[in-house]
Amino acid sequence: SAVISQKPSRDICQRGTSLTIQCQVDSQVTMMFWYRQQPGQSLTLIATANQGSEATYESGFVIDKFPISRPNLTFSTLTVSNMSPEDSSIYLCSVGGGTGNQPQHFGDGTRLSIL
Amino acid sequence: DAKTTQPNSMESNEEEPVHLPCNHSTISGTDYIHWYRQLPSQGPEYVIHGLTSNVNNRMASLAIAEDRKSSTLILHRATLRDAAVYYCILRTPMFSGGYNKLIFGAGTRLAVHP
């Protein structure tokens, strides 16, 4: 299974600033996903990022707030822009699951706190 | 997306079997049943998946009802490390090709007592 590394693992940021989270995979993958997990909640899909195309955002998430880059088949970034305390969450990168018979794999996430 | 229903929480004792139920009465014939778990302070971890037949792997067994409207994840001997939130998720094929994205519900929080 793919090994996923996220950086940073955690950060504390001031409101109004932006933070870019990096996701590195040890093998080439077509589909990458970004999820958010708010405190005590389940995971919510933010967007799907395929190499060579614009990211596809889920309802309630917009590119201006969560711009995503996917420059190659092993790397992606998610930026959380103009942060407020409500953005305090764990942000997780995931890959795989291209068919119903394939599992998705997840990184351990970036724990973000906004003061 | 087809919906699943799981109990909010369950408890077990260490070294006993655990049966985690999942109802998916609106499942269609091409939907795969996937199970993931999330240990504290970690990302979700794939456990097992199946389509029609029961499945076994090193982590667990998946028992699928004959009508496929329910399934059960079986942990044969629970350990303290199995304390986690377990998610039952359906993967549905899309008209545009491929399968739907992994959408998480609330899952079942499993507590394991020494």
Side-chain angles (χ1 to χ4, degrees):
Chain A
S1 62
V3 176
I4 301 168
S5 301
Q6 283 187 236
K7 290 182 181 180
S9 57
R10 59 178 63 234
D11 207 339
I12 301 173
C13 301
Q14 298 294 323
R15 69 176 67 202
T17 62
S18 299
L19 179 75
T20 295
I21 301 167
Q22 299 179 1
C23 177
Q24 180 74 52
V25 189
D26 69 343
S27 59
Q28 293 186 339
V29 294
T30 302
M31 303 176 74
M32 295 182 80
F33 306 91
W34 286 98
Y35 287 81
R36 180 177 73 182
Q37 187 168 29
Q38 295 177 299
Q41 303 296 312
S42 185
L43 284 77
T44 301
L45 181 63
I46 297 172
T48 302
N50 291 335
Q51 197 268 337
S53 62
E54 294 289 325
T56 303
Y57 289 82
E58 299 298 307
S59 175
F61 297 95
V62 294
I63 187 171
D64 290 346
K65 177 67 175 177
F66 298 102
I68 289 171
S69 78
R70 182 77 202 274
N72 57 51
L73 290 173
T74 62
F75 187 78
S76 178
T77 66
L78 169 76
T79 299
V80 186
S81 304
N82 188 24
M83 290 183 287
S84 66
E86 293 71 35
D87 294 320
S88 297
S89 296
I90 301 172
Y91 293 86
L92 298 109
C93 173
S94 178
V95 303
T99 71
N101 206 23
Q102 290 178 336
Q104 269 183 236
H105 302 285
F106 290 80
D108 281 337
T110 296
R111 188 177 298 271
L112 187 55
S113 298
I114 314 304
L115 302 179
Chain B
D1 290 335
K3 186 173 171 59
T4 63
T5 304
Q6 300 177 253
N8 290 333
S9 63
M10 292 184 65
E11 296 187 3
S12 174
N13 294 317
E14 202 174 9
E15 298 190 6
E16 291 184 355
V18 181
H19 290 232
L20 297 165
C22 180
N23 287 318
H24 29 77
S25 59
T26 60
I27 192 171
S28 69
T30 50
D31 290 349
Y32 282 85
I33 303 160
H34 281 241
W35 283 82
Y36 288 76
R37 71 179 185 181
Q38 188 173 22
L39 303 172
S41 300
Q42 294 187 22
E45 174 186 30
Y46 165 76
V47 178
I48 200 167
H49 76 276
L51 183 61
T52 56
S53 304
N54 295 343
V55 185
N56 300 296
N57 66 21
R58 63 173 180 82
M59 291 181 67
S61 296
L62 177 60
I64 301 173
E66 198 166 331
D67 63 5
R68 300 186 71 238
K69 293 185 177 183
S70 66
S71 60
T72 302
L73 181 70
I74 302 167
L75 307 178
H76 295 285
R77 290 183 67 213
T79 68
L80 297 178
R81 192 188 176 276
D82 291 321
V85 179
Y86 287 79
Y87 299 98
C88 170
I89 304 171
L90 297 184
R91 299 295 310 280
T92 300
M94 300 186 296
F95 289 117
S96 56
Y99 273 72
N100 67 326
K101 298 146 282 192
L102 213 57
I103 304 298
F104 288 78
T108 297
R109 183 173 298 276
L110 175 66
V112 180
H113 303 293

